[in-house]
Amino acid sequence: MTREARFRALFDEHYPAVARYVLSRGHQAADADDLIAATFEVAWRRLEKLPPGREAVAWLLTVARNHCRNAQRRSARERSFIDEIAPTTVASAEMRVMTGVLTCR
């Protein structure tokens, strides 16, 4: 069996399980598609190391779990950053208004 045929069979057999797992973690469709694609990208790169048979789905779900966790951490960092700069941005805009930098014409 060629590498492409093995990957196609793996994808066809296990895509539904990986998709269910990612969607069950609360990811929206577009984000879920990215996470599923990233999971199968790792599978493609490491195809020779994938366990055979039913063990492959456990391996794929572990990879998907890691991608989901990374996405959640990234999202938390982005929210934290936005929360951190939001008061500064509002305060700066208020300061410009109060000092007359912004004028109405």
Side-chain angles (χ1 to χ4, degrees):
M1 179 180 282
T2 67
R3 178 178 173 84
E4 291 80 10
R6 181 167 181 233
F7 180 78
R8 173 54 69 187
L10 177 85
F11 183 86
D12 290 344
E13 183 176 354
H14 299 301
Y15 176 88
V18 173
R20 276 192 310 272
Y21 177 83
V22 171
L23 289 169
S24 74
R25 297 298 177 255
H27 295 283
Q28 299 301 316
D31 295 331
D33 287 344
D34 290 343
L35 293 168
I36 295 164
T39 298
F40 281 101
E41 177 187 2
V42 172
W44 171 256
R45 285 190 325 229
R46 303 193 65 199
L47 194 59
E48 292 76 25
K49 297 185 186 227
L50 247 86
R54 305 253 322 133
E55 294 175 15
V57 73
W59 189 93
L60 288 166
L61 293 178
T62 300
V63 172
R65 182 189 67 204
N66 292 339
H67 281 297
C68 289
R69 287 180 175 174
N70 288 340
Q72 289 168 340
R73 284 191 290 268
R74 184 172 42 256
S75 180
R77 282 192 307 269
E78 289 170 357
R79 281 191 309 273
S80 175
F81 177 71
I82 289 170
D83 291 345
E84 189 177 309
I85 66 167
T88 304
T89 305
V90 171
S92 297
E94 289 172 355
M95 290 298 291
R96 286 195 303 261
V97 170
M98 290 188 316
T99 60
V101 173
L102 296 178
T103 58
C104 295
R105 295 181 187 199

